[in-house]
Amino acid sequence: MSQSTLRNNFYRIATLIIDHGADVMRSLLDQFIRKKYNSLKDFVSKNQHELYHQFKYDICCQCPRHYQRPDKQHISSWQMDTLFETNGPKLSCHKPNSKCEFCCSDVKPNLQISDLDIILLKFFLVTYFEEEFWRNCLADGVSFHNFLNNNKHDIFHLVQLNVPCCLCINNPDYTIMVATSKDRLTKIQWSAMFCTTDQQSAHSESCVADKNPCSVSATRGINQSSCNGRARMTILSKFCTMMKHIDELVQARNTIYAHAIKGEIADDNFREIWHEIENSILYLAKITNTELEITQRILNCENVYRRKLCVWRCNV
């Protein structure tokens, strides 16, 4: 396979992610913002203090006493520079003795959703519109209580990653959900979601009391807010289709070009990667009613590269 073909595959995938993957996430964010805010600028402005502390941990002049700042910062300096004025006047509430960078900076007046990169888009979506993901996850009016009962076997294997339970033995075709230590739920989180209903029920000999979902049911009266943030995000990442497709686009961005060692992709890998990314883009496009537009844009993208490839082959 020629180097030109390998590089062509790389550029096609990068274009699919940057031009179309990010755009469909922008449409999704725009749709969610319009439900709660007047505009993107209004959204950023009303969440300004929290956004600042997603960039910098230091106490700023607007921190109330005992304000709990995030343990981990998610916004970079250049992303803050996208959102806020760096050299302009501060907001009227700003205390002059504060020298914190970006503290009380005004939102850029010409800020557009097209200015946001895919990482910032995901952060905004997941952090500020969690309810939209639960709406997608709990389809057809299913309660969180029933959702937990329906999926307790899968959820159990987010606590015990590689420990078979008696349900696994009784269902030999069951495939344990793929998870890593990063996805793991703690026993405390499991205990908050489920309570034991019948410890004396008959199980297989390999069934250990605290290592099985067989005799538990969802805690009565439980809802999403009963779980801590990490548990909620873990569950959404595994069970929410919308979240999975967003994660797919971000992961593709990281794998294909953000952390790439070489700007090349083999044909076999290209077809598989293209198919996965395209599926994610079109799923999100359905939610924003832009499926026809996005489909046409992807087809145009494919046709442009095919024409370029034909011209290149004719000149060889």
Side-chain angles (χ1 to χ4, degrees), residues 168-183:
C168 295
I169 296 170
N170 294 335
N171 298 276
D173 295 331
Y174 173 75
T175 302
I176 293 177
M177 183 174 287
V178 176
T180 64
S181 57
K182 179 179 145 186
D183 307 313

Side-chain angles (χ1 to χ4, degrees), residues 42 69 113 160 177 197 202 208-209 218 222 226 242 256:
D42 182 45
R69 290 156 287 160
I113 205 159
Q160 300 288 345
M177 183 174 287
T197 56
V208 183
I222 193 169
S226 306
M242 182 165 66
I256 299 305

Side-chain angles (χ1 to χ4, degrees), residues 25 28-29 32 35 121-139 147 224 232-233 235-237 239-247 283-284 287:
M25 287 175 65
L28 194 65
L29 178 61
F32 293 167
K35 292 181 180 181
L121 287 166
K122 181 189 173 180
F123 172 74
F124 280 168
L125 286 165
V126 171
T127 306
Y128 294 97
F129 300 96
E130 184 184 329
E131 70 277 8
E132 298 289 350
F133 291 93
W134 284 114
R135 192 172 289 116
N136 179 268
C137 186
L138 305 176
F147 164 81
Q224 302 93 293
R232 296 198 308 271
M233 286 300 108
I235 291 172
L236 283 174
S237 71
F239 295 95
C240 173
T241 307
M242 182 165 66
M243 179 79 83
K244 287 181 183 178
H245 284 300
I246 288 174
D247 285 343
Y283 177 87
L284 298 177
I287 298 175

Side-chain angles (χ1 to χ4, degrees), residues 153-169 174 176-177 184 187 206-214:
H153 191 191
D154 284 330
I155 295 172
F156 165 76
H157 287 296
L158 294 176
V159 180
Q160 300 288 345
L161 299 186
N162 298 301
V163 179
C165 65
C166 59
L167 290 184
C168 295
I169 296 170
Y174 173 75
I176 293 177
M177 183 174 287
R184 194 168 195 162
K187 287 185 179 180
S206 63
C207 182
V208 183
D210 64 345
K211 293 183 178 178
N212 74 87
C214 318

Side-chain angles (χ1 to χ4, degrees), residues 69-84:
R69 290 156 287 160
D71 294 329
K72 184 178 178 182
Q73 281 58 60
H74 294 88
I75 300 180
S76 67
S77 147
W78 70 266
Q79 287 170 329
M80 287 292 285
D81 190 53
T82 298
L83 300 173
F84 300 102

